[in-house]
Amino acid sequence: QVQLVESGGGLVQAGDSLRLSCAASGRPFSNYAMGWFRQAPGNEREFVAAITWNAIRYYADSVKGRFTISRDNASNTAYLQMNSLRSEDTAVYYCAADASRRGFTQSSDYNNWGQGTQVTVSS
């Protein structure tokens, strides 16, 4: 198991930027694919972005060109840089990790989850 702690959420205005961080501990970080998901009130948890152990990136269509996922294996941290934020980006953002390599864009692909960080974008 790997433990995940998200940080960096907050209240911003539309058009602003935020960078979320996900600190991992407990297992060799470099073996894990890392994902970001989000859940807005009344909605299902949805995929946002993922980065594999070898730095291949995946993005939801709704965030392509605005969000960037990255990882720093030396510090066991994954990041989600969010630019040009919109009100519809408002959600709790969750970091996820998995070493099984079975997939990267579904919630069921991940066995390890953080507690989430709130992102609120006001218009």
Side-chain angles (χ1 to χ4, degrees):
Q1 292 290 337
V2 61
Q3 291 74 48
L4 304 172
V5 178
E6 303 97 334
S7 61
L11 171 63
V12 297
Q13 293 186 335
D16 285 352
S17 298
L18 274 177
R19 188 176 79 158
L20 305 183
S21 299
C22 174
S25 61
R27 291 286 185 176
F29 178 75
S30 60
N31 293 343
Y32 283 76
M34 303 298 296
W36 287 96
F37 291 75
R38 66 187 181 187
Q39 189 168 18
N43 289 356
E44 297 289 322
R45 189 171 297 188
E46 66 175 3
F47 169 74
V48 175
I51 185 166
T52 65
W53 62 94
N54 56 350
I56 297 172
R57 295 168 171 84
Y58 300 87
Y59 295 98
D61 287 343
S62 59
V63 306
K64 279 181 183 176
R66 300 189 298 124
F67 291 10
T68 302
I69 189 170
S70 60
R71 64 190 299 157
D72 180 354
N73 290 340
S75 64
N76 293 349
T77 305
Y79 301 98
L80 185 68
Q81 177 67 43
M82 305 187 295
N83 298 330
S84 303
L85 283 162
R86 305 167 180 168
S87 57
E88 54 263 40
D89 295 318
T90 295
V92 177
Y93 282 71
Y94 296 91
C95 174
D98 201 88
S100 67
R101 306 186 180 188
R102 54 190 168 184
F104 310 106
T105 64
Q106 304 297 317
S107 297
S108 57
D109 294 330
Y110 295 87
N111 281 331
N112 303 279
W113 292 86
Q115 293 300 306
T117 185
Q118 177 70 47
V119 172
T120 303
V121 184
S122 66
S123 55

